[in-house]
Amino acid sequence: MKRLSACIWCLMLIATTAVAYPTANGDLKLPTYKKVKLPNGMTLLLMEQHEVPVISFNFIVKAGSTADPAGKEGLASVTAELLRKGTKTRTADQVSSELDFIGGELAANVNYDATTGSAEFIKKDMKTGFDILADTLLNPTFPQAEVTKLIKQRVDGIKAAKDRAQGVIGIYFAGYLYGNHLYGRPTQGSEKSLAAITQGDVAKFYQSWYTPANTILAVAGDFNSSEMEKMLTDKFGAWNAKGNTALKVTDAPAVQGKKLLLVDKPDATQTFYMIGNLGIARTNADRVYINVVNTLFGGRFTSMLNSELRIQTGLTYGARSNFEERKAKGAFIISTYTRNEKTEEAIDRTLNILKRLHEKGITEEELKSAKTYIKGLFPTSIETTDQLAAAIAQLEFFGLTEADINGLYAKIDAMTMQDAQRIIKEYYPLDNLVFVLIGKASEIEKVAQKYAPKFDKKSINQSGF
């Protein structure tokens, strides 16, 4: 077993150096792939890559936490994790032992918009591995004992996570920023909502949302496309086409003015905080330019935020900013942490950096540096077969094409200083900001008042987020 696992890791390592796609003139080009739509609505994407004998699968079911029924948040996530916990012909232990025997990998996760999963096998074991993958997707049984065990683990996990503010602050931030919008729900659920989930709920969620029309299956690796298409069609072609179609999530309204939530953690010696507002959707036409500016603002070690808060002042070990890209508008978030007594200074400096970005912008030299940085880093995200399978599945899910990757370098090169100024003004909120602080309220409550005189407050020991 260990030998096989070591073997596949070696092959994956080889793949990272063998599967790269810069063209002769330095541009980036995604390898060609074939798209097939089965009569039942399922989408197949096939990309042959023969450098190493590995085959990677990536699937997307268009149902994420936004499909959770109210009061049963976490249901999509629980359903995804239970896929491999028993099928009509395999117990959970059998699925695990068969995967271990061939050194294969199979996992599923949930985000706001979708359930995503991946599997990877050595070519010689592909048929066995694919049979397990298809079995877990088509024939899960969600045994009561596994449901009970998983929900208990999840509830215990949430309680434990609240001991580490950095592990839950993102959930509090999303809930506070989005409120009752579907993106305000905790994808993993809460103590209360998880306890309300039954085996019947899991089975019903699967029947409702795991349908061929809602499913994208991408395959990249060492195979023949015609043979792979036949194998996939034989296995998934008879999948019943009944069920829901993907939810359409609309944009939430951006927060106006300043709004602050203080989460009291009485034993905290540090304050973790997030500041932000609504950001962009994955299909936003400015996302490449936004990425360039954000690389300079808070996207790399030498960014403005990290330089100020870590390198120059030593207030934190790390500060960053990011734009979460989803079907509808995700969040723009600045995040870091500091010692209780330095909370005010750190937040002040954070806001000053944001203000400086608006007032002084960036320099030509910085713009050039960010472009080079992104162009140098991006190829490593589409080197391996599992990365390529995930990349084309994501393009399909968001309604994008390979031009999104093939035209990336040209888009970056075309960005001007005027573009950067427009991006800063349009996408970096200055006056309309949401703050979420987790810390010892008795020591930082006055600091919170400085940024929002009328703020909200809750205890981290309260159930939910």
Side-chain angles (χ1 to χ4, degrees):
M1 192 185 324
K2 290 182 179 178
R3 183 185 64 79
L4 285 169
S5 295
C7 180
I8 200 166
W9 275 108
C10 287
L11 290 170
M12 291 168 66
L13 184 61
I14 292 169
T16 62
T17 57
V19 189
Y21 299 92
T23 62
N25 62 5
D27 289 336
L28 202 66
K29 182 173 174 56
L30 192 68
T32 57
Y33 60 96
K34 181 179 182 181
K35 177 179 175 179
V36 179
K37 195 87 167 179
L38 297 183
N40 60 11
M42 186 172 177
T43 302
L44 308 177
L45 305 170
L46 311 172
M47 178 187 283
E48 291 188 33
Q49 292 294 300
H50 300 287
E51 286 80 1
V52 291
V54 171
I55 299 175
S56 301
F57 296 83
N58 189 283
F59 68 84
I60 295 178
V61 178
K62 301 172 187 174
S65 62
T66 52
D68 286 341
K72 295 184 184 291
E73 291 81 8
L75 178 57
S77 176
V78 168
T79 304
E81 190 165 341
L82 287 170
L83 286 176
R84 52 172 293 173
K85 298 297 183 181
T87 73
K88 293 177 181 176
T89 55
R90 292 177 170 91
T91 65
D93 288 342
Q94 286 173 321
V95 171
S96 294
S97 63
E98 288 184 43
L99 284 170
D100 285 348
F101 186 76
I102 62 174
E105 297 183 356
L106 171 60
N109 294 291
V110 161
N111 57 43
Y112 288 99
D113 295 317
T115 297
T116 64
S118 61
E120 188 165 67
F121 311 105
I122 298 174
K123 182 178 181 179
K124 71 179 182 62
D125 296 319
M126 193 274 297
K127 287 188 176 180
T128 302
F130 173 68
D131 184 63
I132 299 171
L133 168 64
D135 197 24
T136 56
L137 271 177
L138 297 174
N139 306 308
T141 53
F142 310 113
Q144 179 64 60
E146 297 290 347
V147 175
T148 302
K149 183 168 69 175
L150 178 59
I151 288 177
K152 183 179 185 308
Q153 289 173 344
R154 288 289 187 88
V155 172
D156 291 344
I158 288 173
K159 291 176 180 175
K162 287 187 173 182
D163 284 334
R164 299 170 55 253
Q166 66 269 41
V168 292
I169 189 169
I171 307 173
Y172 282 102
F173 185 83
Y176 197 58
L177 170 63
Y178 285 101
N180 292 326
H181 185 271
L182 292 174
Y183 283 166
R185 300 175 171 187
T187 57
Q188 301 297 312
S190 68
E191 303 95 315
K192 184 178 179 181
S193 69
L194 286 166
I197 293 172
T198 67
Q199 193 274 347
D201 293 328
V202 177
K204 184 179 178 181
F205 187 91
Y206 171 82
Q207 292 296 336
S208 298
W209 296 104
Y210 283 66
T211 67
N214 270 354
T215 304
I216 300 164
L217 178 60
V219 193
D222 189 13
F223 58 82
N224 175 280
S225 287
S226 297
E227 294 174 1
M228 180 61 74
E229 181 180 341
K230 183 178 185 309
M231 186 178 75
L232 298 180
T233 301
D234 289 346
K235 187 65 76 172
F236 289 103
W239 194 1
N240 193 321
K242 292 181 180 177
N244 296 329
T245 54
L247 280 177
K248 181 172 176 56
V249 180
T250 57
D251 289 340
V255 171
Q256 300 300 311
K258 288 187 171 60
K259 180 180 172 184
L260 188 147
L261 171 65
L262 172 58
V263 182
D264 182 25
K265 191 173 186 301
D267 62 344
T269 57
Q270 296 177 314
T271 300
F272 285 77
Y273 64 87
M274 287 186 167
I275 304 172
N277 207 327
L278 222 59
I280 61 171
R282 174 70 175 83
T283 52
N284 186 298
D286 286 328
R287 62 189 178 281
V288 173
Y289 292 172
I290 292 170
N291 189 24
V292 172
V293 172
N294 196 61
T295 295
L296 296 168
F297 180 65
R300 64 180 180 183
F301 187 79
T302 56
S303 70
M304 299 171 191
L305 281 172
N306 204 55
S307 293
E308 178 75 17
L309 296 172
R310 171 177 167 144
I311 300 171
Q312 295 176 19
T313 63
L315 288 169
T316 183
Y317 286 106
R320 66 189 306 271
S321 64
N322 67 294
F323 286 81
E324 297 177 337
E325 298 180 6
R326 303 176 190 152
K327 278 280 190 179
K329 287 184 178 179
F332 159 65
I333 303 173
I334 299 169
S335 58
T336 187
Y337 61 98
T338 192
R339 302 188 302 278
N340 290 354
E341 64 273 21
K342 294 293 183 180
T343 301
E344 182 176 3
E345 181 182 352
I347 295 178
D348 279 350
R349 287 182 181 274
T350 301
L351 297 178
N352 285 339
I353 295 296
L354 185 59
K355 187 178 178 185
R356 191 194 311 167
L357 179 71
H358 278 264
E359 292 176 347
K360 297 186 176 179
I362 62 174
T363 66
E364 285 274 11
E365 185 178 353
E366 289 170 337
L367 178 61
K368 183 179 178 181
S369 169
K371 288 180 176 182
T372 302
Y373 179 83
I374 295 172
K375 289 169 68 174
L377 204 61
F378 184 76
T380 62
S381 69
I382 54 168
E383 283 184 326
T384 61
T385 53
D386 62 321
Q387 291 172 331
L388 287 166
I392 59 177
Q394 290 288 320
L395 291 177
E396 179 68 21
F397 176 68
F398 285 107
L400 300 169
T401 69
E402 55 265 49
D404 190 66
I405 292 175
N406 296 347
L408 178 64
Y409 280 13
K411 181 83 174 178
I412 292 172
D413 290 338
M415 184 176 178
T416 66
M417 289 292 286
Q418 288 71 34
D419 293 324
Q421 291 168 1
R422 179 179 64 81
I423 294 299
I424 293 168
K425 184 177 180 181
E426 190 170 341
Y427 294 102
Y428 284 82
L430 194 58
D431 299 317
N432 302 315
L433 292 170
V434 174
F435 298 72
V436 171
L437 283 63
I438 300 182
K440 189 174 183 178
S442 62
E443 294 185 5
I444 64 172
E445 194 159 338
K446 288 186 178 178
V447 175
Q449 284 180 327
K450 176 178 178 179
Y451 305 105
K454 292 183 179 179
F455 62 89
D456 297 302
K457 182 179 173 182
K458 64 171 62 175
S459 168
I460 202 166
N461 295 318
Q462 289 177 232
S463 177
F465 298 95

